[in-house]
Amino acid sequence: MDKFLNLLVSGAVSGAIYSLIASGLALTYATTGIFNLGFGGIAFTSAFVYFELHVGLHWGIVPAAVVTLVVVGPVLGWVLNKLILGRLSRASEAAKVMAVVGILIALPALGRWAVELLVQDAHFSIPLGDQVFATPGIGPSPVHVWHPFGGLTINSDQVIVFGVAAVLAVGLWVLLRHTRLGLTMRAATDRPELASLMGINRSSATAWAWIVGTTLACIAGIVGAPILNTLSPNAYTMAVFVATAAVVLGGFRSVPLAFAGGLILGVAQNLVAGYATFANHINGFNTSVPFIGLLLALAFLGRRRYRNRDRITGSMAEDTVVADLDAGHSVLRRTAGWLIPAALFFCYLYFVAGSYWLSVMTAGLALSVVFLSFVVVTGLGGMVSLAQATFVTAAGLTAGLLINQYHQPWLVGFVGGTAVAALLGVIVALPALRVGGLALSLATLALAFLGDGVLFQWNYLRGGDEGWIVLRPKFGSVDLMEDKTYASILLGVVLLVSWLIYNLTRSSSGRQMIALRASEPAAASSGISPSMVKLRLFTISAAIAGAGGVLLVTADQHATNVTYVTQVGLVWLASAVLWGVRKPLGAVLAGLTATVFPALLSSGFHLPSWIPGGLSWAGTHSTWLPQALFGLGAIAMAKNPNGIMGGGHKRRPRRAESPAPTPSTEPGPSRATAVPVTAMPRTVANGSGASLHLAQVSAGYGEHAVLTGIDLALTQGTITALVGANGAGKSTLCKTAAGLVMPTAGAIFLSGDDVTKAPAHRRAGRLLLAPEARGVFPSLSVEDNLAIRLPSAAQREAVYEKFPVLGERRRIAAGSLSGGEQQMLTMAPLLQRPPSVLIADEPTLGLAPRIVEQLLELFEQLRAQGTTLLLAEERARGILDIADQIVLLELGQLIWTGPRADLQDEQLAAIFLGSAQEAVAATRGSTEPTLA
């Protein structure tokens, strides 16, 4: 019994650390959409700063803790949000992984490097922190020990860790569920554009989320340090990876469930270690328990998603497609773009490079083959695999086993290693059949750690503690022991694999992969088998990584199970994304940089004497500086998530005056012949007298122009129907007026005030846009949705009295409501807090006739209260019955504006049959417009 209790208590304490970390991960993911694996780097940095203040500078516990938690934590969170994380809300999963991995690596390295400089150059008398095995916490030293009963032992550090974790978990739950800040942070993550339309400053909400999350990581680092009992960054990194399983158990976003999951994992890990005797014969099994739990949790998540028919495609499926900069170029030009640099590089290897740099380049070329595997699975398939290092290690050990144990030739080892890696790729692909996005990334991470912790601990496979010798082969007169020869062969392999990938992207299989990445349901409906495509993607990627792994261990002439572990694979992915994971050239440059850059830092450089200036640098012996500099890549990547070679930079449209329309010889309606006119009284230039005035506004998306020369003035207390066929530009006009799309020309006035450059959240106080896809936050409850617009409980109760169905469903997620109920939830707060201007985009789309009638009554009530309404509809029958004015939009231009009475039903029907201008020309009355 004593053994069980001690295992339970110590497991609960370890679990409390996991719970603390998991709570922070759940918080930041729920409020920012980024799964912050960099939490471990932040936790270590805070523990290291506290250690130097408390031990190195002899500060007391309270001032050292206060400075670390009140100054270092919030400032670090603000800086990370400003420079990196705040820019990644809509970036791909790979870009997000790259950023957080950069933080995970760079922050500890920056802290250790800074202390090195203070000790070596500034002669500070503080510890370097290299060998610390009694890490101080915020409790008494020496620790207090209690024996409550029997053989149970509890100390003060354990009590502090558990108590702090429990208090913070409750506090975080209260913050997210019962405070205005938590509500705005969750809303900004759920639907960012809608949050802006509701007046939420997304930048501010995200900044607060990272400040709170970073401070929480600092707390975890300080209070958990005595339990981890080391100042090694790897210990904090592993704690974060274990806590990841707890976050999955909590459904990624639930802080209480994540906290409970951390406790369960800690206790389970201890009990397995104490009682699972069968595991004593399986090396690494005990430490792999959390990752087994992670896989089981993800398997359950996959079944639930499949049952709910949620989208489970690749993580990058929602990325904007980056333009192919090589498109349209001749085959000769595209080929020359590869062959000329390759020829120059070959000349460097054979005639210029010395033995040291030749070996560095050789390793870089072998690593480039591994990096090309990312182009297939992530760049082409849109799925983030964190198990590529596993394929490399498995292939290298298999080749070593076949060559040494079974005395097979090198070529057999190469084929065997590649085949084993491909087989592992199939196994790793199995989670991709049920989950996608972040869940898939974490599944591959769990499998990778199981490989490191269990499979590669098998003595038969790993060749004991020394590993395997993998000598370079000799094929006739071609001796690969010569560095120049082997480097030349590797250069040819890199070109061959790049060419194969290039052809894959243009093959039928490649087009299926691209289609699956864009939309799995659409691909499946086109006859594509998603399961087969995903298996093909992972198998090809794993085979390339395995082939690169055999080439890599052949370059090293040594294969071990500890050289290319999972953490190294994370750095590989980050490097590939930094350079551009969608292009083979980016992967090749990433592989070369991964070996050249550290070598350059350690050896320095010396320019030839014939170059003026004689610049040289002796290099650095610091092991931390290279890692610190790697973090700068996260900042560069945050500015361009597509990578250095990824392209995709979009030129911002230049604000300019709208060009005058030019005559057209084409018959029928066209943008060239339509001249915007209005039957309403003209307003002065600044829009005085109008609630909303769009003055000669042009807008679009990137280089694509949608609206041209829109001049529209809406008077107070009127309903204007914006009518046009599908694709006329109605939604773009609504978004431009609301601030979601910035105009390229013209100006926008609200009650005479120029708001052209004002963001959406600054217009929300006077102008509200109800978007086409229902103006609700689907993962927030009905009560939370109302609270966004109606902070007062009395106002919300008034809504429930008028719409009892919302009151009955106040605690359920808004996404579970019917379409009519969602539209009711969108419009209901308007009666309590009517805006000056309401723009509704397709408000009756998909609604039952009874709901449409209620909605029209609501619009009339708002008009009676003085609200100005602009209602954009494609099928406008109901809206026309209550409209005061009609605005006809065709191909991005206003072709007619006037009273409803001046437009007959048959003329309106003609508009949707493609003869709008002829219909408008037939309008009756003194306000009849003329068209050029």
Side-chain angles (χ1 to χ4, degrees):
M1 187 64 178
D2 289 344
K3 176 183 178 181
F4 173 79
L5 290 176
N6 279 289
L7 288 173
L8 182 67
V9 170
S10 60
V13 172
S14 298
I17 297 177
Y18 302 149
S19 297
L20 193 56
I21 297 173
S23 300
L25 291 173
L27 169 72
T28 51
Y29 185 72
T31 53
T32 66
I34 298 176
F35 197 82
N36 187 18
L37 292 175
F39 203 99
I42 299 170
F44 167 81
T45 302
S46 65
F48 188 64
V49 169
Y50 175 78
F51 170 78
E52 294 294 348
L53 293 177
H54 181 49
V55 177
L57 299 179
H58 308 292
W59 288 21
I61 291 176
V62 174
V66 168
V67 168
T68 305
L69 299 178
V70 179
V71 178
V72 175
V75 170
L76 186 57
W78 182 87
V79 170
L80 291 176
N81 171 73
K82 193 72 174 177
L83 295 181
I84 307 174
L85 298 169
R87 306 174 184 226
L88 297 174
S89 59
R90 297 189 180 183
S92 67
E93 201 67 49
K96 292 176 181 178
V97 169
M98 191 275 175
V100 297
V101 169
I103 294 170
L104 178 68
I105 296 171
L107 281 182
L110 281 171
R112 299 294 294 266
W113 181 57
V115 170
E116 277 186 0
L117 293 179
L118 290 175
V119 173
Q120 296 173 4
D121 297 340
H123 306 293
F124 272 56
S125 181
I126 56 176
L128 288 172
D130 290 332
Q131 301 291 328
V132 179
F133 301 104
T135 312
I138 60 174
S141 181
V143 297
H144 295 167
V145 179
W146 298 279
H147 302 282
F149 52 85
L152 179 64
T153 301
I154 302 175
N155 63 49
S156 53
D157 285 333
Q158 293 175 326
V159 172
I160 290 172
V161 168
F162 195 85
V164 169
V167 170
L168 286 178
V170 174
L172 289 175
W173 179 78
V174 172
L175 171 68
L176 285 177
R177 298 295 173 181
H178 298 283
T179 68
R180 184 73 182 176
L181 176 60
L183 179 61
T184 57
M185 289 192 297
R186 288 187 290 130
T189 302
D190 197 29
R191 288 188 65 185
E193 279 194 353
L194 181 60
S196 295
L197 295 174
M198 293 295 180
I200 295 174
N201 187 336
R202 287 187 288 157
S203 297
S204 177
T206 302
W208 275 111
W210 285 116
I211 289 172
V212 173
T214 303
T215 302
L216 188 65
C218 291
I219 296 174
I222 293 176
V223 302
I227 307 302
L228 297 176
N229 213 25
T230 179
L231 272 184
S232 168
N234 289 336
Y236 290 84
T237 300
M238 285 304 301
V240 170
F241 290 145
V242 171
T244 296
V247 181
V248 175
L249 289 173
F252 287 103
R253 297 175 183 269
S254 172
V255 172
L257 290 178
F259 180 84
L263 290 178
I264 292 171
L265 284 176
V267 171
Q269 197 171 12
N270 260 24
L271 292 179
V272 167
Y275 291 104
T277 55
F278 71 91
N280 295 334
H281 306 289
I282 305 176
N283 290 336
F285 180 84
N286 294 336
T287 58
S288 299
V289 168
F291 304 113
I292 296 174
L294 174 58
L295 285 175
L296 294 176
L298 289 171
F300 171 77
L301 178 67
R303 287 196 298 271
R304 186 176 64 188
R305 288 191 172 187
Y306 181 80
R307 187 167 58 246
N308 294 335
R309 297 185 180 182
D310 287 350
R311 185 176 177 275
I312 56 172
T313 52
S315 62
M316 297 174 68
E318 295 182 356
D319 295 354
T320 301
V321 177
V322 178
D324 187 357
L325 300 180
D326 296 328
H329 294 166
S330 65
V331 176
L332 179 61
R333 180 172 176 177
R334 292 197 301 266
T335 305
W338 274 94
L339 294 183
I340 293 176
L344 294 175
F345 189 67
F346 176 81
C347 293
Y348 169 77
L349 292 176
Y350 246 85
F351 304 110
V352 178
S355 59
Y356 173 75
W357 286 108
L358 185 59
S359 64
V360 170
M361 295 297 178
T362 301
L365 287 169
L367 197 57
S368 295
V369 179
V370 176
F371 280 26
L372 285 167
S373 68
F374 289 113
V375 179
V376 175
V377 69
T378 303
L380 180 61
M383 291 176 283
V384 179
S385 170
L386 304 181
Q388 300 305 97
T390 303
F391 305 142
V392 169
T393 302
L397 293 178
T398 300
L401 175 68
L402 291 173
I403 294 170
N404 290 270
Q405 189 72 18
Y406 294 99
H407 309 291
Q408 297 297 313
W410 181 90
L411 193 58
V412 173
F414 175 81
V415 174
T418 303
V420 168
L423 178 61
L424 284 178
V426 174
I427 297 173
V428 171
L430 295 179
L433 305 182
R434 307 299 294 272
V435 297
L438 174 63
L440 173 60
S441 301
L442 296 180
T444 61
L445 181 69
L447 288 168
F449 275 115
L450 286 175
D452 288 347
V454 180
L455 178 62
F456 302 146
Q457 298 300 320
W458 186 20
N459 275 326
Y460 175 77
L461 177 63
R462 70 188 180 110
D465 295 335
E466 300 298 324
W468 302 109
I469 300 297
V470 183
L471 297 178
R472 298 182 190 175
K474 182 178 181 180
F475 301 103
S477 61
V478 180
D479 188 359
L480 299 188
M481 288 298 294
E482 293 288 336
D483 283 344
K484 290 182 179 180
T485 304
Y486 190 52
S488 302
I489 295 295
L490 288 176
L491 180 59
V493 172
V494 168
L495 292 174
L496 175 62
V497 175
S498 300
W499 178 76
L500 291 174
I501 292 175
Y502 177 84
N503 283 277
L504 175 64
T505 60
R506 284 154 176 78
S507 67
S508 175
S509 294
R511 288 192 292 271
Q512 290 181 6
M513 295 171 184
I514 295 172
L516 188 71
R517 168 181 176 154
S519 172
E520 181 173 336
S525 65
S526 301
I528 297 173
S529 171
S531 298
M532 292 305 300
V533 173
K534 291 177 181 179
L535 287 172
R536 197 178 304 136
L537 268 168
F538 270 92
T539 302
I540 294 173
S541 173
I544 294 174
V550 178
L551 295 173
L552 193 58
V553 298
T554 303
D556 297 340
Q557 302 187 60
H558 192 209
T560 72
N561 65 325
V562 295
T563 306
Y564 306 113
V565 294
T566 299
Q567 291 91 326
V568 173
L570 297 180
V571 179
W572 287 350
L573 173 62
S575 300
V577 174
L578 175 61
W579 279 96
V581 75
R582 287 172 171 168
K583 290 182 176 293
L585 180 58
V588 174
L589 292 175
L592 291 172
T593 304
T595 57
V596 171
F597 185 65
L600 187 64
L601 287 177
S602 62
S603 63
F605 59 87
H606 305 277
L607 296 182
S609 57
W610 51 268
I611 296 181
L615 183 64
S616 65
W617 180 53
T620 177
H621 297 291
S622 173
T623 58
W624 302 109
L625 179 59
Q627 298 180 37
L629 292 177
F630 173 81
L632 297 177
I635 299 175
M637 185 278 311
K639 295 179 181 178
N640 179 22
N642 294 316
I644 297 172
M645 302 299 298
H649 290 287
K650 291 185 178 180
R651 187 174 58 189
R652 293 179 63 89
R654 181 175 60 91
R655 289 180 56 84
E657 294 298 326
S658 299
T662 57
S664 173
T665 59
E666 293 294 326
S670 69
R671 181 172 297 184
T673 61
V675 178
V677 294
T678 179
M680 296 176 62
R682 286 284 184 177
T683 62
V684 297
N686 67 353
S688 61
S691 296
L692 173 65
H693 182 202
L694 278 69
Q696 295 298 316
V697 168
S698 298
Y701 305 94
E703 300 298 320
H704 178 60
V706 177
L707 304 177
T708 303
I710 300 295
D711 192 83
L712 176 64
L714 307 180
T715 56
Q716 183 179 0
T718 61
I719 296 178
T720 299
L722 177 62
V723 182
N726 186 30
K730 301 186 300 297
S731 294
T732 301
L733 191 151
C734 295
K735 291 180 178 180
T736 303
L740 293 179
V741 176
M742 289 292 110
T744 57
I748 302 174
F749 300 92
L750 277 174
S751 300
D753 297 331
D754 189 346
V755 296
T756 308
K757 297 182 179 180
H761 73 271
R762 294 193 180 277
R763 305 184 196 187
R766 293 186 288 175
L767 183 151
L768 183 65
L769 169 62
E772 179 180 358
R774 306 283 183 259
V776 301
F777 298 95
S779 69
L780 272 61
S781 67
V782 170
E783 177 79 8
D784 287 341
N785 270 270
L786 289 177
I788 296 289
R789 283 282 296 167
L790 305 175
S792 168
Q795 291 177 323
R796 297 196 293 273
E797 288 300 325
V799 169
Y800 294 141
E801 290 179 6
K802 186 170 182 61
F803 302 97
V805 66
L806 297 181
E808 295 171 1
R809 292 163 169 75
R810 69 176 66 189
R811 301 301 177 192
I812 71 172
S816 301
L817 300 177
S818 67
E821 291 168 343
Q822 289 186 27
Q823 194 65 290
M824 188 184 303
L825 178 59
T826 301
M827 298 298 175
L830 304 180
L831 291 176
Q832 299 299 317
R833 286 186 60 193
S836 299
V837 178
L838 171 65
I839 301 175
D841 190 5
E842 301 284 0
T844 66
L845 181 66
L847 300 184
R850 181 178 61 84
I851 302 297
V852 172
E853 291 178 6
Q854 295 179 356
L855 199 58
L856 297 180
E857 291 176 4
L858 187 148
F859 289 148
E860 290 182 295
Q861 293 179 45
L862 290 172
R863 176 175 57 186
Q865 297 178 16
T867 296
T868 302
L869 295 95
L870 177 64
L871 308 178
E873 280 282 7
E874 181 179 349
R875 297 175 177 84
R877 170 63 63 183
I879 298 298
L880 292 177
D881 293 338
I882 65 172
D884 300 303
Q885 290 89 26
I886 309 296
V887 174
L888 303 182
L889 189 67
E890 184 177 86
L891 298 177
Q893 289 187 314
L894 296 184
I895 63 171
W896 189 78
T897 302
R900 167 68 178 92
D902 288 350
L903 195 65
Q904 297 181 353
D905 288 351
E906 59 269 17
Q907 294 162 341
L908 186 62
I911 292 172
F912 295 103
L913 293 176
S915 54
Q917 295 185 59
E918 295 176 8
V920 171
T923 54
R924 300 176 290 106
S926 59
T927 58
E928 179 179 12
T930 59
L931 299 177

